[in-house]
Amino acid sequence: MGYGLSLHRFVDGEPETLDDRVVRDVLAPHVVDASRDADELVIRAADGGEAEVDVSADGVSVHRFPSGGVVDVVAELADRLGAAVVLPDGVLVSGEEQRANLPEGLRETAVVVEMTGRGLRGALDG
């Protein structure tokens, strides 16, 4: 994939802190390398695909990844966090309620997708 994406959670148009426990629970089985503070990770999916992941309280950024198993991990993380997937050219959400919580400038361009690996891959590849 030629670009990255990020996961962010919003409530009433305002950014919300992500649940660090959920982030760690989802990513931990896939981590193959981590910085000292574990905020910069390399994850590997079951199919061998890898991605660079940056974790902060307000978002998770995913860079340089193939459209395969890594997308499954990203979709699971977005689903469990209730997070929107923010792309360079738009936003993907799992439902209308999530769209309604986006900031006004993002709400209009958001696309509802099934937040699964298959659904997210379809949106990213299509």
Side-chain angles (χ1 to χ4, degrees):
M1 188 149 282
Y3 58 86
L5 57 80
S6 59
L7 305 180
H8 302 277
R9 181 170 155 69
F10 299 95
V11 174
D12 295 328
E14 297 297 321
E16 288 285 307
T17 301
L18 298 179
D19 185 333
D20 187 58
R21 182 190 53 77
V22 171
V23 172
R24 303 298 173 187
D25 285 352
V26 172
L27 296 180
H30 306 285
V31 173
V32 293
D33 191 21
S35 64
R36 177 177 238 163
D37 59 7
D39 289 340
E40 296 175 4
L41 312 167
V42 175
I43 62 168
R44 182 178 299 135
D47 66 1
E50 292 187 354
E52 296 174 10
V53 179
D54 296 313
V55 178
S56 69
D58 64 342
V60 175
S61 298
V62 185
H63 311 280
R64 295 190 258 291
F65 59 94
S67 184
V70 169
V71 177
D72 296 334
V73 176
V74 171
E76 178 185 357
L77 184 58
D79 184 56
R80 291 198 38 204
L81 288 169
V85 177
V86 180
L87 307 168
D89 58 353
V91 179
L92 305 173
V93 294
S94 64
E96 290 301 327
E97 181 180 331
Q98 197 175 44
R99 181 200 306 264
N101 277 306
L102 292 172
E104 196 170 311
L106 297 177
R107 210 173 296 144
E108 296 77 25
T109 62
V111 175
V112 176
V113 300
E114 179 184 12
M115 202 53 72
T116 63
R118 175 190 233 168
L120 188 54
R121 260 190 303 283
L124 295 173
D125 294 340

